[in-house]
């Protein structure tokens, strides 16, 4: 088996594992959101947000329609208040695994590992950009504490995108120009380690927004209308 065949084979294995991890992560997140829905609805009545008119009538209609159809198990994309959670998990897995491969390649110096890391980082940056820009949810009526958490989430998300772009470009230069110099591999590994850490922090604050602050489940605190914002 030549180098190209080996690279393709390993890429398929890693991408399959990555997809499985992303699907499991999304399924777990959806399960936790469902359990927290009742508590969020009860406590939200005591918040200032409850005193403001909501703007999620369209999504609420979709929820009521879905609730009355007991035979429908899988929700449609239109039933979700926002598509951000469906996309962002791919960015997390791709960037973290890509960073791990690049750091391990400081020792191995294998071309196929470098290419797989490059592909994962490029895909991770693209999905992070989509999740953070095109599909970033717009909020309103947040509590003061939730707003602070959101600011931290956005800070680490922006850092992920910016350093991710730098890391992807640096890895491209390393592959096409520097020809696997160990110091260059180490430098890219350092940049991608920052990316892996920042995306983990963004994910932490994002989970806190959903599961502690109650932002997102059933469209709470989210502006309605365009699912791409």
């Amino acid at each position: 088996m030549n180098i190209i065949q080996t690279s393709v084979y390993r890429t398929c294995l890693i991408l399959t594992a990555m997809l499985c991890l992303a699907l499991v992560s999304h399924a777990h997140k959806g399960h936790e959101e469902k359990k927290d829905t009742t508590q969020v609805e009860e406590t939200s009545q005591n918040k200032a947000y409850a005193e403001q008119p909501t703007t999620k009538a369209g999504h609420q209609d979709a929820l009521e329609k879905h609730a009355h159809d007991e035979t429908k198990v899988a929700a449609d994309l239109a039933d979700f208040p926002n598509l951000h959670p469906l996309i962002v998990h791919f960015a997390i897995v791709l960037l973290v695994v890509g960073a791990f491969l690049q750091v391990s390649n400081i020792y191995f110096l294998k071309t196929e590992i470098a290419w797989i890391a490059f592909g994962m980082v490029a895909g991770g940056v693209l999905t992070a950009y989509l999740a953070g820009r095109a599909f970033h949810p717009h909020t309103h009526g947040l509590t003061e504490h939730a707003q602070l958490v959101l600011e931290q989430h956005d800070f680490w998300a922006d850092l992920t995108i910016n350093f991710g772009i730098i890391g992807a470009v640096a890895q491209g230069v390393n592959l096409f120009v520097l020809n696997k110099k160990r110091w260059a591999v180490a430098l890219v590994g350092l940049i991608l380690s920052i990316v892996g850490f920042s995306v983990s922090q963004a994910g932490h604050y994002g989970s806190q927004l959903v599961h502690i602050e109650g932002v997102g489940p059933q469209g709470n605190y989210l502006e309605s209308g365009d699912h791409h914002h």
Side-chain angles (χ1 to χ4, degrees):
M1 185 178 291
N2 58 37
I3 293 178
I4 295 178
Q5 291 175 322
T6 302
S7 178
V8 171
Y9 176 75
R10 292 181 179 178
T11 301
C12 292
L13 288 178
I14 293 176
L15 289 178
T16 301
M18 172 215 60
L19 181 59
C20 291
L21 286 172
L23 291 174
V24 170
S25 176
H26 172 64
H28 177 72
K29 183 180 180 69
H31 177 68
E32 291 297 326
E33 287 180 359
K34 183 177 180 182
K35 290 196 301 183
D36 292 345
T37 296
T38 302
Q39 181 179 359
V40 170
E41 289 180 340
E42 293 175 352
T43 58
S44 63
Q45 295 178 356
N46 299 323
K47 297 180 180 180
Y49 169 70
E51 300 174 359
Q52 302 178 1
T54 62
T55 60
K56 55 176 183 175
H59 174 60
Q60 191 63 36
D61 291 341
L63 284 175
E64 293 176 356
K65 181 179 179 181
H66 184 79
H68 284 88
D69 187 358
E70 296 181 355
T71 63
K72 183 178 180 181
V73 177
D76 298 326
L77 290 179
D79 295 332
F80 291 91
N82 187 268
L83 299 183
H84 176 85
L86 303 179
I87 299 173
V88 73
H89 291 93
F90 290 98
I92 295 173
V93 173
L94 287 168
L95 292 174
V96 170
V97 176
F100 174 79
L101 289 176
Q102 182 63 23
V103 171
S104 66
N105 204 32
I106 297 174
Y107 173 78
F108 295 107
L109 284 181
K110 297 291 186 179
T111 302
E112 54 268 32
I113 295 179
W115 275 106
I116 294 172
F118 176 71
M120 286 193 161
V121 171
V125 171
L126 176 61
T127 51
Y129 181 85
L130 291 174
R133 300 292 190 271
F135 296 96
H136 192 283
H138 288 204
T139 60
H140 75 129
L142 294 180
T143 64
E144 183 177 350
H145 188 263
Q147 183 62 41
L148 293 175
V149 177
L150 176 61
E151 290 174 359
Q152 286 296 311
H153 172 70
D154 288 345
F155 168 79
W156 288 105
D158 289 340
L159 196 68
T160 297
I161 295 173
N162 294 334
F163 271 87
I165 293 174
I166 294 173
V169 172
Q171 180 69 330
V173 172
N174 178 40
L175 285 168
F176 292 103
V177 179
L178 298 178
N179 194 24
K180 299 190 309 180
K181 301 293 184 182
R182 194 179 297 274
W183 64 267
V185 175
L187 178 60
V188 176
L190 175 61
I191 296 173
L192 296 186
S193 295
I194 296 174
V195 175
F197 176 77
S198 62
V199 76
S200 299
Q201 287 293 102
H204 174 83
Y205 286 109
S207 297
Q208 184 176 340
L209 282 171
V210 172
H211 299 296
I212 298 178
E213 305 298 335
V215 180
Q218 294 196 341
N220 290 330
Y221 300 103
L222 300 184
E223 293 182 0
S224 66
D226 189 354
H227 286 271
H228 296 274
H229 295 283

